[in-house]
Amino acid sequence: MNRLLLAAYPEPYRSRQGEEVLACLSEAYPGRSRPPLREVTALVRAGLRARARAVADDPARPWWLDGIHLAALTLAALALVPYLQDVWHWALRIDPGEHAIAFRFSGWYPWAEGPTQIRLLPYGLLPLGCLIALLRGRPWIALPAAAAMIWAGATSHGRTLFGDEGKAGLGYYGLGAPIAARDLVLSGALCAACAVLALCRPSRLRRRSYRWLAPVALAMFVAGGLHIIAVSPAFQRGLFVLEVTALIAAWVATAATGDHRWLIPVATCALVRVQAIVVRPDAFMRSLPDLVVLILLVAPLPVLAIAARRRQGQAFT
């Protein structure tokens, strides 16, 4: 358990001080497989702060480029979330029938049975491909996928490539109104971010391991196996908790480093959410007051900016 806690720290820290930390834990808590919960929380918090500082101190890329990269990753992940079940069923050749997400036809795969209209691909493959390409630092691959998301949302009904889902399907909820694929603010912002990244030298972008896809695969397995769709209360509560956790993580990272890169994904997501609320103010999550949703969207921005400026001021004194 103690070695598992060290995974929260960056690799250079583990190689330099890992054994020393393990020795201190063994001496402080002899005979225990893990330290008390308070100590575990402190170690994980310190490890995450060390990781944030390591990212901020990395001279290989400017903060704004890394911030745009993080924003593109966040938008691709948010666009994929409502289609997790859909992509999982398509990959395993499962026809979910009545569990399909807002389709007019039960047989919407080429291998489905019955006299129903088919579609060739699930819309969720576009943000998934975009997410994988961005994780590996290949924005020139993500850019066509993001452009295809715009095309799917802007074109007329009746196409069988993505079916009607690309235009009229349900979107995700989380901290605001539902966003369908036909709402082009998210896909447009994602495409713009990918275009900026594609203009930069590939070596300047951070390349993340394929291990980052493990939570995505797990979420697909859960959504596909349990038929959890975007309109279910479990989905809405889970995404709400996930987004609040991400906002808190951005605040902690900014306060610990004084770096502004985490402001960019927060501001981008707030823009997407506020636009959906302005367009459809009656489509809020009914489980949360509208005022609370707006505060959760807008409040982190000035708080993060103030925290970053204060941290920078302390560094110079």
Side-chain angles (χ1 to χ4, degrees):
M1 179 63 181
N2 291 342
R3 289 193 176 275
L4 184 61
L5 290 175
L6 284 180
Y9 291 83
E11 195 281 330
Y13 182 94
R14 295 198 302 268
S15 60
R16 291 194 313 266
Q17 298 176 263
E19 294 302 325
E20 180 181 348
V21 172
L22 291 176
C24 291
L25 289 176
S26 299
E27 182 180 348
Y29 307 103
R32 297 189 57 164
S33 60
R34 63 177 180 86
L37 180 60
R38 183 175 60 182
E39 188 71 25
V40 170
T41 304
L43 286 170
V44 172
R45 183 170 60 246
L48 295 179
R49 287 178 175 171
R51 282 186 176 273
R53 284 192 293 269
V55 170
D57 294 339
D58 187 357
R61 57 195 60 84
W63 66 269
W64 60 267
L65 182 63
D66 214 16
I68 294 175
H69 196 182
L70 288 170
L73 284 168
T74 303
L75 291 176
L78 286 176
L80 171 64
V81 163
Y83 307 105
L84 292 171
Q85 174 194 234
D86 194 19
V87 175
W88 179 263
H89 287 163
W90 178 83
L92 297 184
R93 300 175 66 92
I94 299 172
D95 187 353
E98 64 181 9
H99 298 292
I101 50 174
F103 292 106
R104 293 180 297 172
F105 312 101
S106 61
W108 30 261
Y109 288 142
W111 55 80
E113 298 180 358
T116 55
Q117 180 175 335
I118 66 170
R119 61 175 184 152
L120 299 180
L121 297 171
Y123 175 81
L125 284 182
L126 296 177
L128 177 61
C130 194
L131 177 65
I132 295 174
L134 289 169
L135 278 173
R136 298 301 295 168
R138 295 183 171 89
W140 62 91
I141 299 177
L143 182 58
M149 291 171 63
I150 298 177
W151 172 81
T155 52
S156 59
H157 293 263
R159 298 183 184 272
T160 58
L161 181 58
F162 298 110
D164 288 339
E165 177 62 16
K167 278 72 70 176
L170 291 173
Y172 50 86
Y173 288 74
L175 294 179
I179 301 176
R182 64 179 180 271
D183 298 327
L184 303 182
V185 173
L186 186 148
S187 55
L190 176 58
C191 188
C194 291
V196 172
L197 296 174
L199 293 174
C200 301
R201 286 184 290 121
S203 59
R204 302 183 74 188
L205 298 180
R206 192 182 303 277
R207 296 184 62 183
R208 293 168 173 85
S209 169
Y210 284 112
R211 291 194 297 266
W212 284 91
L213 293 174
V216 178
L218 177 61
M220 285 185 179
F221 170 76
V222 173
L226 301 180
H227 301 297
I228 299 177
I229 61 176
V231 295
S232 69
F235 177 96
Q236 295 180 26
R237 296 189 189 104
L239 186 55
F240 170 75
V241 171
L242 182 62
E243 292 193 32
V244 170
T245 302
L247 288 173
I248 295 174
W251 183 87
V252 171
T254 304
T257 63
D259 194 273
H260 290 82
R261 73 189 64 214
W262 290 281
L263 288 174
I264 298 178
V266 173
T268 304
C269 290
L271 173 65
V272 171
R273 291 299 196 198
V274 170
Q275 183 270 340
I277 293 172
V278 171
V279 172
R280 288 194 298 274
D282 58 334
F284 275 112
M285 277 181 56
R286 300 306 179 187
S287 58
L288 284 175
D290 298 355
L291 180 61
V292 174
V293 174
L294 284 174
I295 290 175
L296 288 173
L297 280 171
V298 179
L301 294 177
V303 171
L304 286 172
I306 294 171
R309 184 171 296 275
R310 181 175 299 175
R311 181 71 179 183
Q312 287 181 343
Q314 292 174 351
F316 288 124
T317 58

